[in-house]
Amino acid sequence: MAQITAPRGTCDVLPQDAYKWQYLESVMREAGRRYGYEEARFPTFEHTELFQRGVGGATDVVQKEMYTFNDKGGRSVTLRPEGTASVMRMVLEHGLYGGLLPLKTYYIIPCFRYEKPQAGRLREFHQFGVEVFGAAEPAADCEVIALGAHILRTLGISGVALEINSIGCRECRARYKAALVEYYSQFKDRLCETCLGRLETNPLRLLDCKSPVCGALKAGAPSILDYLCGDCAEHFAAVRAGLDALGIDYTVNPFIVRGLDYYNRTVFEFTSNQIGAQAAIFGGGRYDGLAEDLGGAPLSGLGFAMGLERLLLLMENTGVEIPRPAGPDLFLAALGPRASARAATLADELRSRGLACVTDLCGRSLKAQMKYAGKLGCRYAAILGDDELDRGVAALRDLAKSEQVEVPIESLYEYISVR
Ligand code: HAM
């Protein structure tokens, strides 16, 4: 029978590699703790309408990339392509806007997008994201960006460039969109098919086109920064000043518009040229209108999400090592059935006291057990046979130093735990 393989665009984390993910996640959780963010957990699938209204019906994510299906009750549900819409839904549904504000949350979640898989681009991928609600001040934009930069620094990642922009409020954007339409309309004969459509539905997306012809036209396109109203310009200036004060390097790129429709004012991306075409390590921004788009009262919001697979790829490509955890403290090697039975109970006693302790489960010879202990990276191996059991001792070998001492079975815990 043919063997079944994993679906395209998904990836297995093998047990021997899981420590890399655990390390990344521990750095992210610790960053959340230090900045005062609490974890949010929410469903993997939502009503499709949440993303249609939240992320925006004209975006690539909603139009082309969602895993949407009818469940057995005939409801249209979608595997989440991102976390922001869900967290906002949670905040509105549970009335969290009425509690202590700002509400600062983070999450580590799998997301699903039907994209063409390649290095750093998967159909199931993982995001660490943060979302802040009820903080309209530029200081919040700076804190969120600083948290992202803190994670990169802690992981030892360098060479990542931060680009920021402001896409203004609805009023600034309406004027800017009109200017974009006017500019690109001169080149209707040259625009690609998709961009001709964007001219009607979503002119900001024109700036994101990867085709060489449309891409070249971008250079002469109007800049959103010339269309910001007084309040939006002031907000952006304060964000820039805040980043300067924090010593966070950035460049202003007036053509960053982001691929999701909920953004307003500050948007940003951290990019790297070390992971091929998938340059964005993470991105985010403000979405002060999203609460209302989802039927709630006005509530400002902002955040970012970073892709864990892209971070790992970047670390691998730039030679950043992830510390491999130590192997088990002790392997209990047993010779004969009596010793095997004692090894099993002794191992459990030692585990209850906190030692990582492994025994043989395959009836191996003593020699094979010692080899196995070495391969597992155990610090010590204790050998138990009938003679040792009669005398209440174990032969304890330090596997790194190849030194052996005799230790009373009762004292194994103390002996190992003080070293
Ligand atoms: P996004 O830019 O669509 O933003 O995705 C954020 C990050 O997720 C990307 O920078 C990338 O690292 C990773 N990512 C996206 N798609 C894939 C994929 N197919 N394969 C691997 N990694 C991927 C958002 O999702 C927003 N919700 C971010 C946000 C939070 N904005 C405000 N709050």
Side-chain angles (χ1 to χ4, degrees):
M1 243 197 292
Q3 224 171 308
I4 298 167
T5 55
R8 210 160 111 75
T10 64
C11 96
D12 295 317
V13 177
L14 304 183
Q16 70 258 30
D17 293 327
Y19 72 94
K20 298 179 186 170
W21 286 77
Q22 289 163 352
Y23 174 72
L24 230 56
E25 289 169 13
S26 69
V27 166
M28 290 162 172
R29 289 182 191 286
E30 177 60 14
R33 190 190 70 79
R34 290 194 192 181
Y35 281 77
Y37 289 60
E38 285 175 322
E39 185 176 6
R41 298 194 184 200
F42 42 92
T44 309
F45 64 90
E46 299 269 3
H47 292 299
T48 301
E49 195 188 350
L50 175 71
F51 303 113
Q52 284 168 341
R53 272 166 58 190
V55 172
T59 59
D60 278 359
V61 169
V62 170
Q63 282 193 347
K64 302 185 198 157
E65 297 170 4
M66 294 207 304
Y67 278 89
T68 297
F69 56 96
N70 285 336
D71 69 9
K72 292 198 193 304
R75 299 167 209 92
S76 179
V77 292
T78 294
L79 301 183
R80 63 178 167 225
E82 58 107 53
T84 311
S86 295
V87 185
M88 182 58 102
R89 194 245 334 120
M90 180 170 85
V91 167
L92 298 177
E93 190 169 336
H94 298 273
L96 302 183
Y97 47 80
L100 189 64
L101 293 179
L103 175 67
K104 307 203 293 184
T105 61
Y106 76 85
Y107 49 86
I108 303 177
I109 55 167
C111 296
F112 307 86
R113 293 185 192 177
Y114 192 79
E115 294 195 81
K116 199 162 166 233
Q118 59 184 68
R121 199 209 278 154
L122 292 118
R123 290 180 174 169
E124 182 188 21
F125 60 97
H126 296 79
Q127 283 189 345
F128 166 78
V130 306
E131 312 292 352
V132 177
F133 301 94
E137 293 299 308
D141 308 45
C142 295
E143 178 177 284
V144 158
I145 292 173
L147 195 166
H150 170 89
I151 290 177
L152 295 183
R153 222 175 23 250
T154 311
L155 291 173
I157 292 173
S158 54
V160 175
L162 166 63
E163 295 185 320
I164 63 170
N165 188 22
S166 173
I167 57 167
C169 58
R170 282 183 214 273
E171 287 75 46
C172 318
R173 246 182 349 268
R175 286 186 288 122
Y176 180 56
K177 279 181 185 171
L180 273 184
V181 170
E182 192 182 328
Y183 170 75
Y184 279 102
S185 293
Q186 307 168 70
F187 308 107
K188 269 188 177 162
D189 50 336
R190 288 198 241 161
L191 290 178
C192 71
E193 194 84 3
T194 324
C195 280
L196 277 175
R198 286 169 171 155
L199 209 48
E200 307 289 325
T201 55
N202 201 352
L204 284 184
R205 291 263 76 71
L206 285 157
L207 299 171
D208 258 358
C209 187
K210 303 278 182 291
S211 99
V213 177
C214 306
L217 291 174
K218 187 165 83 173
S223 160
I224 177 77
L225 298 178
D226 297 328
Y227 293 81
L228 294 185
C229 67
D231 285 350
C232 288
E234 204 178 300
H235 185 97
F236 192 45
V239 171
R240 294 195 315 264
L243 293 177
D244 292 340
L246 287 166
I248 296 174
D249 290 336
Y250 61 86
T251 51
V252 174
N253 178 351
F255 295 130
I256 291 187
V257 289
R258 308 273 305 131
L260 314 163
D261 267 359
Y262 44 60
Y263 292 110
N264 71 322
R265 291 198 165 169
T266 318
V267 287
F268 57 90
E269 278 175 0
F270 280 79
T271 56
S272 164
N273 55 12
Q274 302 284 337
I275 53 163
Q278 304 311 312
I281 303 295
F282 67 98
R286 262 194 183 277
Y287 45 84
D288 297 326
L290 179 59
E292 287 156 277
D293 291 344
L294 294 178
L299 178 69
S300 57
L302 76 158
F304 70 75
M306 52 173 78
L308 270 73
E309 287 84 357
R310 288 195 193 168
L311 273 176
L312 283 170
L313 188 65
L314 176 63
M315 292 170 81
E316 204 173 294
N317 290 355
T318 53
V320 178
E321 292 279 332
I322 293 179
R324 187 182 276 279
D329 299 307
L330 176 66
F331 186 86
L332 278 179
L335 192 58
R338 198 174 134 224
S340 287
R342 180 68 187 112
T345 56
L346 180 59
D348 246 21
E349 289 163 27
L350 294 170
R351 289 169 189 146
S352 327
R353 299 179 75 182
L355 285 190
C357 186
V358 185
T359 59
D360 173 50
L361 301 176
C362 299
R364 288 182 170 88
S365 70
L366 182 62
K367 196 171 157 205
Q369 288 183 52
M370 296 305 283
K371 211 163 145 190
Y372 176 56
K375 283 194 181 152
L376 290 179
C378 298
R379 266 178 75 207
Y380 290 99
I383 302 162
L384 293 175
D386 286 338
D387 170 52
E388 282 83 3
L389 286 188
D390 289 343
R391 292 192 292 122
V393 297
L396 186 69
R397 189 175 299 174
D398 183 319
L399 291 177
K401 296 188 192 144
S402 290
E403 287 167 6
Q404 192 164 313
V405 289
E406 207 167 73
V407 178
I409 291 175
E410 297 310 313
S411 312
L412 274 175
Y413 173 78
E414 283 75 17
Y415 188 93
I416 293 170
S417 56
V418 297
R419 277 172 176 79

